Structures are given as C-alpha cells and as structure tokens.
C-alpha cells in the first residue's frame, strides 16, 4: 500500500499533468478556429474547380489526345500512396485512422499483385508505417517547421508526384487524409488524383463552350488540379488534427480530474487510518499504565 507521501506526490503530479492537458486543449481550440475557417474557405473553390474539370473531362474522354494526367499511361501496376498525417502526436486516433486506411489499401494492392510505393507527409504516419511498409518508402515531406500551410507546400508535393508519374515511376497516385466534419468526427478519406477522377456534377455544366480547345485547357489545369486537391487535403488535415487534439486533451483533462478525486479519497482514508492507529496506540499505552 503506498505511503501518504507517495499519494501526495502522485496527486501533485496528476494536477500538473491536468494543467498541461488543459492548456493544450485551449491552444488546440484557438488553432482549430483558424484551421476550420481555412478548410471551409477552400471547399467552394475546390468544388467549383471539380465541376469545371468534370465538364472538360467528360467532353475530352480518355481516348487519344487526352492529357496523360487524365487518361493515365495505360498501366495500373505501380501505385503511389501519399499518406498525410501530423508532425505531432497527442491528437487521439487522428493519425491511426489515416494509417489504417492506407495499410488496408496497400495490403489490397499487394494481394492483387500490384507494386506499392509510399510517400509520407508528416512524421507520425511515417513512424507507424515504417515497421511493416518501410521497404516501400520513396520519400518524405517534412512540414515540422511550417507554421501555416500554404499553397506552395502543396505545389512541392504535387511536383514530386507528377514528376514520378511523368518519368514512368508510378502509374496511379492516391492521397490519404482526414476530412474535417466536426470536433469529434473526422472522416478518413482516400482520393485518386492521378489519373484524375472527378465527381459528376450534372448536365448543367454541358452548356459551356471552351476556347482554346478542351484538351489545351485540361493540359494546363490538370497540374493545378493535382496541387489544389493536395492543398485541400492538407487544410482538411490541419482542421482535423486540431479538432482531434482538442477532443483528446479534453478527455485527458477529465480523466486527470477523476484520478485526482480517487487519489484524494484514498489519501484521506489512509491518513484517517494512520491517525486512528496512533490514537489506539496512545489509548492502549495509557490503559497499560
């Protein structure tokens, strides 16, 4: 049974931990507002770009003359998985959910006889994947020193994946990230960006005529579309990370409070038992005299 001094020290230690988790929760809440605003502000542009690209792609098709980023290179053997996670931990299951989805996709591709390559963005995902999939790593993007995610960061990643595709090193590129829905809900998402896939937007977009040709416009917009999708994923990840961290630190603070209450009760009972024992010894000694 721990001594009174041990219990007192442990209560003090848990109180200090609660102060840290509470401070981290408040910091995450402040960062979440900015990250959420950035993610939500990017969605209309991404959706509109998707509508334009879908309209152009439906007109061009995937036959001869179509840009390679749209039609592909005719092969489906080498898959590049771009796994986007955070640089820091203490954010609950945020990183694990992304890595789990990427692992499942990698295992599925290997079982189908495909070759898998992995590009990691963020340290935590790389750490989790290193043991089982370290032999497939082809690169890493370190964003630890980046205070605010910008479009240039997405362009750097886009250049790497498009260069690998243009050089014939990969055939298909898929990004993995968490889409922000709420503080307690982030949706693990996998999106193929090369060859490009666009969601259908209905028949209304077919009324536009494009000049110059649709092929020429697509050739110019497709690299930008790759960078935009990566940028959108980074922003969604940023908001999801802060939401997950805020939720995790709130739970940790609550758990620390519960532990302090239990330890305080145990401390008081032990202290009462020690006092009672001393009183019994004093009374017994007095009676013996």
């Amino acid at each position: 049974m721990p001594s009174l001094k041990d219990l007192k020290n442990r209560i003090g230690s848990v109180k200090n931990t609660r102060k840290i988790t509470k401070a981290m929760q408040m910091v995450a809440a402040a960062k979440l507002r900015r990250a959420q605003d950035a993610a939500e502000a990017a969605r209309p542009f991404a959706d509109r770009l998707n509508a334009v690209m879908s309209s152009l792609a439906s007109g061009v098709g995937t036959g001869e003359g179509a840009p390679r980023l749209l039609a592909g290179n005719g092969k489906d053997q080498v898959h590049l998985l771009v796994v986007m996670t955070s640089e820091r931990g203490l954010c609950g299951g945020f990183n694990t959910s992304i890595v789990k989805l990427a692992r499942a996709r990698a295992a599925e591709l290997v079982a189908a006889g495909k070759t898998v390559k992995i590009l990691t963005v963020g340290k935590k995902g790389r750490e989790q994947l290193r043991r089982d999939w370290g032999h497939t790593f082809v690169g890493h993007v370190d964003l630890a020193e980046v205070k605010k995610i910008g479009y240039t960061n997405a362009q750097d990643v886009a250049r790497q994946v498009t260069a690998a595709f243009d050089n014939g090193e990969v055939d298909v590129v898929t990004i993995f990230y968490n889409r922000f829905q709420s503080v307690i809900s982030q949706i693990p998402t996998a999106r193929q960006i090369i060859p490009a896939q666009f969601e259908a937007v209905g028949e209304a977009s077919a009324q536009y005529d494009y000049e110059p040709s649709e092929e020429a416009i697509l050739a110019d917009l497709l690299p930008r579309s790759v960078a935009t999708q990566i940028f959108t994923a980074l922003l969604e990840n940023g908001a999801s990370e802060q939401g997950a961290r805020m939720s995790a630190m709130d739970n940790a603070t609550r758990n620390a409070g519960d532990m302090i209450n239990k330890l305080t009760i145990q401390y008081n009972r032990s202290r009462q038992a020690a006092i009672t024992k001393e009183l019994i010894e004093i009374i017994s000694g007095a009676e013996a005299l």
Side-chain angles (χ1 to χ4, degrees):
M1 185 175 180
S3 65
L4 289 176
K5 184 178 180 181
D6 291 337
L7 286 172
K8 192 172 183 179
N9 290 339
R10 191 175 180 191
I11 290 172
S13 176
V14 177
K15 284 183 177 179
N16 291 335
T17 302
R18 183 173 64 175
K19 290 179 182 178
I20 295 173
T21 56
K22 184 63 176 178
M24 292 184 67
Q25 177 190 351
M26 296 174 67
V27 171
K31 290 184 176 179
L32 172 62
R33 174 51 57 190
R34 296 193 296 269
Q36 183 178 352
D37 289 344
E40 291 177 349
R43 288 176 184 173
F45 176 79
D47 292 341
R48 187 57 186 163
L49 179 62
N50 174 80
V52 173
M53 299 297 290
S54 177
S55 174
L56 289 167
S58 63
V60 172
T62 57
E64 293 185 5
R68 292 181 71 245
L69 286 176
L70 176 64
N73 56 12
K75 295 183 291 184
D76 183 29
Q77 180 60 34
V78 183
H79 289 250
L80 175 64
L81 311 184
V82 183
V83 183
M84 302 181 181
T85 55
S86 68
E87 296 287 349
R88 299 171 182 83
L90 297 177
C91 48
F94 167 76
N95 294 308
T96 303
S97 61
I98 300 173
V99 171
K100 182 179 179 181
L101 181 63
R103 276 183 177 146
R105 178 63 62 85
E108 178 184 337
L109 291 170
V110 170
K114 310 295 183 180
T115 301
V116 172
K117 296 182 178 182
I118 295 178
L119 171 67
T120 54
V121 181
K123 181 174 68 175
K124 291 303 176 180
R126 188 175 184 85
E127 290 175 352
Q128 293 189 34
L129 288 167
R130 180 182 289 115
R131 180 175 181 179
D132 296 328
W133 298 94
H135 61 284
T136 65
F137 288 172
V138 294
H140 175 66
V141 178
D142 188 354
L143 300 177
E145 301 301 324
V146 178
K147 300 300 181 183
K148 183 178 180 181
I149 295 295
Y151 188 70
T152 54
N153 303 117
Q155 284 181 314
D156 293 338
V157 180
R159 290 190 192 99
Q160 291 190 44
V161 299
T162 53
F165 177 75
D166 291 337
N167 295 334
E169 299 172 9
V170 299
D171 303 323
V172 180
V173 179
T174 307
I175 58 176
F176 295 82
Y177 63 98
N178 262 333
R179 179 176 174 84
F180 179 80
Q181 189 170 30
S182 68
V183 174
I184 60 174
S185 177
Q186 300 86 36
I187 305 173
T189 304
R191 172 174 293 184
Q192 180 178 310
I193 58 175
I194 301 177
Q197 291 185 342
F198 303 105
E199 298 176 1
V201 294
E203 298 296 329
S205 60
Q207 61 183 331
Y208 296 106
D209 292 327
Y210 296 97
E211 219 178 279
S213 66
E214 294 175 337
E215 291 82 356
I217 297 175
L218 272 176
D220 183 64
L221 285 184
L222 279 169
R224 301 186 190 185
S225 175
V226 172
T228 299
Q229 291 182 78
I230 293 174
F231 181 50
T232 302
L234 289 174
L235 293 178
E236 294 284 346
N237 249 12
S240 298
E241 177 188 351
Q242 298 305 330
R245 180 171 288 112
M246 179 181 170
S247 179
M249 291 302 100
D250 179 57
N251 291 334
T253 302
R254 294 174 185 273
N255 291 337
D258 293 341
M259 185 176 292
I260 290 171
N261 292 336
K262 292 179 181 178
L263 289 173
T264 301
I265 293 173
Q266 186 178 354
Y267 173 81
N268 291 336
R269 287 177 176 172
S270 298
R271 183 168 175 269
Q272 183 179 9
I275 293 173
T276 302
K277 181 180 179 182
E278 290 179 4
L279 288 174
I280 292 173
E281 290 175 352
I282 292 172
I283 294 171
S284 299
E287 289 178 350
L289 295 175

